Amino acid sequence: MAVVDLSGKVVVITGGARGLGAATAQAVVEGGGRVLITDVLEEEGARTAAELGGAARFLRHDVTSEADWQAALDHTVATFGRLDGLVNNAGIATGALLEQESVEHFRQVVEVNLVGVFIGIRTAVPLLRAGGGGSIVNISSAAGLTGLPLTAGYGASKWGVRGLSKIGAVELAEARIRVNSVHPGMTLTPMTAPVGIQPGEGNFPGAPMGRVGVPEEIAAAVAFLLSDAAGYMTGAELAVDGGWTAGPTVRTLTGG
């Protein structure tokens, strides 16, 4: 993985036990930063933090809980002394047609994927202000850039994350707090594994690049947005999707 300079930065990453979150935690540590990994998956989260060494810690954290959010950020300051970045990565996926999605499940997905992000931003802002600014990176999805079938709750929540990121960017710019969203396409993670996707060239013809992504590729984009190299980027939506949302593949257009 390409290393981005994050020397001295302290970052909280939700949903950091595995997949995209774990890869992002690794990128932060490799870049010279320190990280608090949070998740409801306690064993996996503790193991990921242990593998990253002394620059990483783990705390159980339900992103839908205001009390858990405050505890996580208090723990960050008590352990590392400051907060410079927040990655709102925790989320759950669903696959149902709009007509078949239950109201209960829709609400559950929105609560985790969108309300959890809102609570996190709101709770982190005072600490970031106190430190003179920082970077918030919200993990949306390619489903937050286009109308993707079978994602009623998931897609709606990820569009919401995209919009919330822009609102945060406008409102918090004066405090030197940057807010951006990252939109992964199909990526091989424990969350997507049940779909049966396979890595490697030619295994995902729906994207112009013809393959699915790997967590390290998404993590590199997140690390860049956390870094000072992205100091003039806020309110941006960064698609890391192999061209999936850019348009149809040449094969589709030519019938090849």
Side-chain angles (χ1 to χ4, degrees):
M1 183 190 303
V3 177
V4 174
D5 185 10
L6 294 169
S7 301
K9 293 192 183 297
V10 174
V11 180
V12 172
I13 301 173
T14 68
R18 61 185 190 176
L20 301 184
T24 302
Q26 181 179 348
V28 170
V29 172
E30 289 180 352
R34 294 172 291 171
V35 61
L36 178 70
I37 295 167
T38 79
D39 210 305
V40 294
L41 302 175
E42 296 185 55
E43 290 186 12
E44 291 176 86
R47 183 166 58 249
T48 296
E51 290 171 352
L52 293 174
R57 297 287 191 278
F58 171 74
L59 185 71
R60 189 189 187 283
H61 173 204
D62 174 1
V63 297
T64 67
S65 165
E66 293 182 65
D68 275 17
W69 264 110
Q70 192 61 59
L73 296 180
D74 288 347
H75 185 76
T76 301
V77 174
T79 304
F80 298 122
R82 58 182 293 117
L83 177 69
D84 300 290
L86 169 62
V87 180
N88 282 305
N89 171 72
I92 55 178
T94 110
L97 292 168
L98 190 152
E99 291 178 283
Q100 298 170 355
E101 178 77 285
S102 71
V103 173
E104 179 183 13
H105 195 238
F106 185 92
R107 283 178 173 154
Q108 178 190 19
V109 174
V110 171
E111 189 75 17
V112 173
N113 292 4
L114 179 55
V115 178
V117 173
F118 164 72
I119 299 172
I121 294 172
R122 192 181 67 170
T123 310
V125 163
L127 286 176
L128 294 173
R129 281 186 184 275
S135 174
I136 297 173
V137 183
N138 298 321
I139 307 302
S140 180
S141 168
L145 293 171
T146 187
L148 190 65
L150 294 170
T151 66
Y154 182 79
S157 68
K158 293 302 186 179
W159 274 87
V161 168
R162 177 188 177 194
L164 184 62
S165 300
K166 291 187 180 297
I167 292 166
V170 173
E171 293 187 359
L172 300 172
E174 51 82 23
R176 299 297 184 264
I177 299 171
R178 298 182 292 107
V179 188
N180 295 287
S181 59
V182 171
H183 298 255
M186 186 63 75
T187 305
L188 184 62
T189 68
M191 189 170 73
T192 61
V195 179
I197 62 175
Q198 297 295 324
E201 301 294 333
N203 285 323
F204 190 55
M209 291 188 71
R211 65 175 179 85
V212 300
V214 295
E216 291 76 15
E217 292 172 314
I218 315 303
V222 176
F224 166 69
L225 290 173
L226 289 169
S227 77
D228 293 339
Y232 199 50
M233 288 185 67
T234 195
E237 50 203 36
L238 188 57
V240 190
D241 64 357
W244 189 16
T245 57
T249 66
V250 172
R251 291 179 299 277
T252 300
L253 294 172
T254 62

